[in-house]
Amino acid sequence: MPVLRISCSRSWPGLVDACDAAMRAVLAARVQRVRHPGWISVQSYGKHWPCLLPQHGPGKKHERPIVLTDWQREILIAHAGSFLRGLFHSDGARFANRVRVRGKAYVYPRYMFVNESTDIMGLCQWALDLLGIPWRMNRRNSLSVARRDAVAALDRHVGPKS
C-alpha cells in the first residue's frame, strides 16, 4: 500500500500539526505520527496518494521531471501563497542579511530559496510571479527575495514557522 511520509523537525510542532491536518483534509482517514530522535514522521497509507502526487517516483527529484498536471496547475494558481509557504518552509529561509557598503553597515530582511531541481525552482519563480513578488537568482540553484516591498508581500503568504 502506498504511503505518504513527511519528515518534520520537532523544532516546529505547528508544522507537524499542519501536515497532519492537510493529509486528513485531502485524503487520509488515518494519520500516524512516528517519533524519532529530533524529528517526527507524519504518515498516511492510501492507494490514491500516487494519483494526487504523480510527480513522485524513483530517484532524486532533481534528476527527474517535476511537471504539474492541469488540475494541479489550477490549484496552484488559486493558492500560490500557500504553495510558496510550503516551499520556503521546507527549502527556504528568512533571515537578517548583513552587508557593508563603503564602510557603512546595512541590515535588512531577506528570503532565500535553494533547490537543486530546476523544475521546482521554476515553479517557485512562477508562483512568485503570479503574486507579483520580485525575485532574482543569485546562484544557479538559489533564489533571493530582498526588496523591502517584496519581503513584506512574501511575509503575508509565508509567515513564520511555528
Side-chain angles (χ1 to χ4, degrees):
M1 171 91 56
V3 60
L4 175 60
R5 183 175 295 121
I6 301 175
S7 300
C8 303
S9 169
R10 286 187 182 210
S11 301
W12 309 109
L15 290 177
V16 172
D17 292 340
C19 189
D20 184 302
M23 285 182 181
R24 290 176 194 278
V26 172
L27 178 72
R30 291 183 52 219
V31 175
Q32 299 85 35
R33 296 182 185 199
V34 181
R35 299 188 187 292
H36 303 275
W39 60 285
I40 297 173
S41 176
V42 181
Q43 60 189 39
S44 172
Y45 291 85
K47 65 181 178 181
H48 293 295
W49 283 123
C51 302
L52 295 175
L53 303 166
Q55 296 79 10
H56 178 71
K60 299 174 183 175
K61 67 181 183 235
H62 68 277
E63 294 176 350
R64 59 183 155 82
I66 305 292
V67 180
L68 299 178
T69 63
D70 290 341
W71 65 267
Q72 289 173 319
R73 188 169 292 278
E74 289 176 24
I75 292 170
L76 233 75
I77 290 169
H79 302 282
S82 296
F83 178 68
L84 288 169
R85 180 178 188 263
L87 289 178
F88 278 92
H89 280 189
S90 64
D91 293 325
R94 184 189 191 278
F95 58 94
N97 197 45
R98 300 172 195 290
V99 295
R100 185 171 291 277
V101 178
R102 290 186 282 286
K104 183 167 167 92
Y106 296 91
V107 179
Y108 60 93
R110 178 180 185 184
Y111 279 95
M112 297 288 291
F113 177 73
V114 179
N115 201 291
E116 291 298 323
S117 168
T118 55
D119 291 340
I120 292 172
M121 185 61 73
L123 290 170
C124 181
Q125 295 165 348
W126 178 62
L128 288 165
D129 289 346
L130 284 173
L131 297 175
I133 298 174
W135 53 272
R136 71 176 190 85
M137 297 298 292
N138 57 324
R139 291 192 319 263
R140 69 165 180 78
N141 65 342
S142 179
L143 176 149
S144 170
V145 174
R147 288 182 27 196
R148 182 179 291 130
D149 57 334
V151 170
L154 200 50
D155 279 343
R156 288 190 292 276
H157 296 283
V158 173
K161 289 184 183 179
S162 55

